[in-house]
Amino acid sequence: MSNDKDATSVESKGRRYFLIGMTSAASVAGAIGAAVPFVKSWTPSAKARSAGAPKICDISRLRAGELLEPMPAWRGKPCFIVGRTPEDVERLKTEQDDLADAASEKLDRQPAYARNPWRSRRPELGVYIGICTHLGCSPKHRSEEGDFYCPCHGSRFDLAGRVVKGVPAPDNLDVPPYSYLSETEIIIGVDEEDLAAAKDLDDAPERA
């Protein structure tokens, strides 16, 4: 009789350990299952990575006096790529009395190639973040007036993105890092000294 009780006791313990093990395994599996989408949420989506990737822009179709359309975006911000006529270039060099920061000395974040009358690598082409430095609206390009005008609060910038005096916007438009890949293409988001390293980036450049 004692042997039967011992056998039953051993069998009960075995079942109990088995059930405990199965319950623990199920709990662990459930915790892993719940953690996977949580951890995945830390990983940027392809769309998010794309928004921050450098953008290659074809400028072959851009004419002097025009703004490149469709407008490219970099890091979720619109970018103005504007072609300038010889008259625009000369005017930007000589007409500076009404500008709040003609030499782009106010902003430390401006690249070195923004510290000239055109605020660009080449006088005939300007590249700027198309967001007003007042409250983040998007100014409009006015080809006839030769400027960028923000209709929200009346801020105005010349074709070099320099803010005029007496408007709500406190600073010039930002100049993003960019480089020429050729006479017909630029890349926004990469400076010339970083072009070689950009080939190894996880976020490969995209065409705008």
Side-chain angles (χ1 to χ4, degrees):
M1 193 72 174
S2 175
N3 290 339
D4 290 342
K5 285 183 180 181
D6 291 342
T8 301
S9 176
V10 170
E11 184 178 352
S12 298
K13 287 181 180 179
R15 287 179 179 173
R16 187 162 60 250
Y17 292 152
F18 175 76
L19 291 174
I20 290 173
M22 289 296 291
T23 302
S24 300
S27 299
V28 171
I32 292 174
V36 167
F38 180 68
V39 172
K40 285 180 71 175
S41 70
W42 296 346
T43 305
S45 65
K47 184 176 181 181
R49 291 196 300 271
S50 173
K55 294 293 171 68
I56 296 175
C57 303
D58 179 6
I59 57 173
S60 62
R61 63 187 188 276
L62 180 63
R63 291 193 237 173
E66 294 182 350
L67 192 70
L68 185 67
E69 297 287 353
M71 191 183 302
W74 175 65
R75 292 188 174 178
K77 300 175 182 179
C79 293
F80 293 155
I81 302 179
V82 60
R84 295 186 284 235
T85 66
E87 292 76 19
D88 292 331
V89 170
E90 186 62 26
R91 185 173 66 254
L92 293 175
K93 185 171 64 173
T94 58
E95 298 179 8
Q96 301 183 5
D97 292 342
D98 64 337
L99 302 174
D101 184 18
S104 290
E105 297 175 342
K106 187 175 179 182
L107 297 180
D108 292 336
R109 64 177 179 270
Q110 297 296 283
Y113 46 86
R115 299 185 185 279
N116 56 54
W118 308 282
R119 300 183 70 239
S120 59
R121 290 191 179 277
R122 299 182 184 179
E124 69 275 11
L125 187 82
V127 183
Y128 311 103
I129 298 296
I131 294 180
C132 180
T133 55
H134 177 220
L135 291 177
C137 305
S138 186
K140 309 298 180 186
H141 173 241
R142 301 192 300 183
S143 56
E144 292 185 4
E145 290 81 356
D147 66 5
F148 298 105
Y149 175 73
C150 186
C152 299
H153 305 97
S155 293
R156 191 162 62 87
F157 308 83
D158 70 1
L159 287 182
R162 297 177 295 185
V163 65
V164 304
K165 296 175 181 177
V167 300
D171 299 315
N172 296 339
L173 296 179
D174 284 336
V175 176
Y178 73 95
S179 305
Y180 279 82
L181 296 177
S182 68
E183 292 300 313
T184 59
E185 286 187 331
I186 65 170
I187 181 170
I188 300 176
V190 182
D191 273 325
E192 286 183 349
E193 56 269 24
D194 299 323
L195 275 177
K199 296 179 181 179
D200 301 325
L201 291 175
D202 291 334
D203 293 328
E206 291 196 344
R207 293 192 175 274

